[in-house]
Amino acid sequence: MPKYHSFFVIIFLASTLVFGQEKNGNSSKKVYHVLFVGNSLTYINNLPELVKNQAALRGISVDYTLLAFPDYAIIDHWKDGKVQKLISSQNFDFVIIQQGPSSQNEGREMLLNDGQKYSELCQLNHAKLCYFMVWPALTYYHTFNKVIGNYSDAAKKNHALLLPVGKVWKTHFDDTSNFDYYGSDGFHPSLKGSQVAAKIIVENLFFSK
């Protein structure tokens, strides 16, 4: 995955409460706690904040924590050990995991087998595991169907919720030949791409059947 300059080399662990019970005075309103685990495809444009804002527009309160490092796969987070502690805190309703496109066999095995570790831990701690399906770089557009298939298979195998951002992106590209969801490097999302991703995530977290 392309690296960014040092100011993007982030260990970003933040929690933000929006329209929470204390703020709006409605003690009966649930705040959903979401853990994002990923890399630059999640922290570029601060996708969790966009999700929080999009949820608020739909009347849903979200409190998020983001654990993201450049070039990280889900196994890298697991090896570090921080993510296990966060999930085991039982503070989260949803755990959203994401890594690179994972069109090749190695990435597929990570999604399937390392994802199973996340699934088992989430089940023990009353959290719903979710896969944030991403996309390939424009250079590797021909691998898009493998990205979609591998994320879909991993979510199915591990009884997780699929957040099909990459699939929606591909439909948009194929229908319009407009690749404006990509940023200038042809891989990371533009702001518009991240905004679309946030809408898809909110729709599938809270409104899908």
Side-chain angles (χ1 to χ4, degrees), residues 131-143:
Y131 280 83
F132 166 22
M133 178 197 291
V134 292
W135 49 84
L138 270 171
T139 305
Y140 297 103
Y141 195 86
H142 61 281
T143 69

Side-chain angles (χ1 to χ4, degrees), residues 162-201:
L162 183 64
L163 308 175
V165 176
K167 186 176 182 179
V168 174
W169 274 36
K170 187 174 188 298
T171 298
H172 167 74
F173 299 147
D174 292 347
D175 288 348
T176 67
S177 298
N178 184 345
F179 297 91
D180 57 349
Y181 294 172
Y182 282 103
S184 59
D185 67 353
F187 180 57
H188 288 86
S190 65
L191 178 58
K192 182 176 182 180
S194 293
Q195 290 170 335
V196 169
K199 291 179 181 179
I200 296 164
I201 289 171

Side-chain angles (χ1 to χ4, degrees), residues 35-106:
L35 173 62
F36 290 84
V37 181
N39 55 36
S40 56
L41 296 182
T42 293
Y43 70 65
I44 293 296
N45 300 319
N46 198 353
L47 178 62
E49 185 76 6
L50 296 176
V51 168
K52 178 198 73 175
N53 293 339
Q54 184 62 218
L57 292 175
R58 306 288 295 270
I60 297 168
S61 301
V62 169
D63 175 29
Y64 72 81
T65 298
L66 171 61
L67 184 62
F69 299 80
D71 303 329
Y72 257 49
I74 58 175
I75 187 58
D76 298 314
H77 285 290
W78 194 267
K79 288 178 179 177
D80 285 352
K82 178 68 174 178
V83 69
Q84 294 96 312
K85 294 178 181 177
L86 286 169
I87 296 172
S88 297
S89 71
Q90 298 191 352
N91 288 333
F92 299 100
D93 299 293
F94 300 102
V95 176
I96 299 176
I97 60 175
Q98 166 269 315
Q99 59 183 28
S102 305
S103 63
Q104 298 181 348
N105 288 338
E106 182 181 9

